[in-house]
Amino acid sequence: MVLPLDDCYFMKKALQEATYAFDAGEIPVGAVIVIQDRIIARSHNLTEKLNDVTAHAEMQAITSAANFLGGKYLKDCTLYVTLEPCQMCAGALYWSQIGRIVYAAKDLQRGCGAMGTTLHPKTSIEGGIMEQEAALLLQRFFAGKRK
Amino acid sequence: MVLPLDDCYFMKKALQEATYAFDAGEIPVGAVIVIQDRIIARSHNLTEKLNDVTAHAEMQAITSAANFLGGKYLKDCTLYVTLEPCQMCAGALYWSQIGRIVYAAKDLQRGCGAMGTTLHPKTSIEGGIMEQEAALLLQRFFAGKRK
């Protein structure tokens, strides 16, 4: 059986990245960037390992995708990320002029929607793809931290 | 004569960084991060050289200062930057919980003030220190680009 290269397919890849973060004791957020059905960047949150608040999954994915493409604009790309981007990441996505953002779980506190961050006029955004899986991973992580 | 270690002193260091960006054909923005009158990070915009929209002066300075301190929070630090931070950089500064932000020129289009980016409640921000020098350098850069 050939799996269709749909939003669920790519979000599963982002979720796989999120589990790598989980296993490393990082807040489990993963991302992939796709152009023409091809994954050109994979990343997960590394803020603890790198001691660096800027090491969110999305930031690394943007840098990596631009490096792959040899140009800093990601107009024809889609970002799949397991948690709604924060102000910083949405701000970086603004500069990248990325075509589309697809996220899984909503971040009601620090997400770009709640914070009112401006996206590029050419960028579309949608959430809720595999939301439960992504939210469950985050809940498991924070429940473990509280113990 | 010993120069006082005041806001102008540190902003001059940030302006020096901005001139390095200017000379390299980058939008001239420079930054330094200071803790207890000591500069622990210096950086300038490298978005063209690195082909990376995330390579703003502030982002590099945050990473560099956290690396120096061995921890990701910059609570006792001050960032001096020659242009008001954008959404991305203000979002990163939010996560860093930096104590103070001092900028030179205001960015009426893409600055965090105009964009309504939320700073950390513990962060103070002020602008206008050596504003004319910073604005002039930016004007010279964009005038040169238009030729």
Side-chain angles (χ1 to χ4, degrees):
Chain A
M1 196 182 91
V2 178
L3 288 172
L5 297 175
D6 58 8
D7 286 343
C8 278
Y9 175 86
F10 291 117
M11 191 60 84
K12 273 181 194 161
K13 302 292 184 189
L15 275 165
Q16 182 62 55
E17 286 292 323
T19 66
Y20 300 149
F22 183 97
D23 293 343
E26 301 274 358
I27 295 176
V29 180
V32 300
I33 290 179
V34 173
I35 188 166
Q36 293 173 335
D37 286 342
R38 181 174 174 195
I39 294 174
I40 59 169
R42 297 167 192 266
S43 57
H44 56 268
N45 178 34
L46 284 173
T47 48
E48 296 302 321
K49 186 174 183 186
L50 300 181
N51 254 333
D52 186 350
V53 297
T54 76
H56 282 194
E58 300 95 311
M59 301 301 283
Q60 297 174 66
I62 292 166
T63 298
S64 185
N67 191 45
F68 177 87
L69 294 172
K72 61 186 193 292
Y73 298 118
L74 308 177
K75 295 179 190 190
D76 300 318
C77 297
T78 299
L79 167 77
Y80 293 87
V81 59
T82 60
L83 182 65
E84 185 187 359
C86 72
Q87 298 187 117
M88 170 180 71
C89 295
L93 291 161
Y94 172 96
W95 291 121
S96 80
Q97 303 184 20
I98 199 159
R100 187 168 171 242
I101 300 168
V102 183
Y103 65 86
K106 196 157 184 71
D107 185 344
L108 292 170
Q109 264 80 51
R110 267 95 173 252
C112 58
M115 298 293 249
T117 315
T118 302
L119 293 172
H120 194 275
K122 287 179 191 153
T123 303
S124 70
I125 184 164
E126 58 200 284
I129 308 290
M130 304 197 71
E131 182 172 10
Q132 288 190 319
E133 291 83 345
L136 193 64
L137 192 65
L138 285 158
Q139 284 160 18
R140 272 179 55 209
F141 178 81
F142 287 111
K145 283 277 165 193
R146 267 182 241 115
K147 268 177 195 162
Chain B
M1 196 183 90
V2 178
L3 286 172
L5 297 174
D6 59 7
D7 286 344
C8 278
Y9 175 86
F10 291 116
M11 191 59 85
K12 273 182 194 161
K13 301 294 184 187
L15 274 164
Q16 182 62 55
E17 285 293 323
T19 65
Y20 299 149
F22 183 97
D23 293 343
E26 302 273 357
I27 295 177
V29 180
V32 299
I33 290 180
V34 173
I35 188 167
Q36 293 174 334
D37 287 341
R38 182 175 172 192
I39 293 173
I40 59 170
R42 297 167 192 266
S43 56
H44 56 269
N45 178 35
L46 285 173
T47 48
E48 295 304 320
K49 185 174 184 184
L50 299 180
N51 254 332
D52 186 350
V53 296
T54 75
H56 282 193
E58 301 95 312
M59 302 301 283
Q60 298 174 65
I62 292 167
T63 298
S64 185
N67 191 45
F68 177 87
L69 294 173
K72 63 186 192 294
Y73 298 117
L74 308 177
K75 295 180 191 191
D76 299 319
C77 298
T78 299
L79 167 77
Y80 293 88
V81 59
T82 59
L83 181 65
E84 185 187 359
C86 72
Q87 297 187 118
M88 170 180 71
C89 295
L93 291 161
Y94 172 96
W95 291 122
S96 80
Q97 302 183 20
I98 198 160
R100 187 168 171 241
I101 300 168
V102 182
Y103 65 86
K106 196 158 185 71
D107 186 344
L108 291 168
Q109 264 80 51
R110 267 97 172 249
C112 57
M115 299 293 249
T117 315
T118 302
L119 292 172
H120 195 275
K122 286 180 191 152
T123 303
S124 70
I125 184 165
E126 58 201 283
I129 307 290
M130 305 197 70
E131 183 173 9
Q132 287 190 319
E133 290 84 345
L136 193 64
L137 192 64
L138 285 158
Q139 283 160 20
R140 273 179 55 209
F141 178 81
F142 288 111
K145 284 279 166 192
R146 266 181 243 114
K147 270 179 196 161

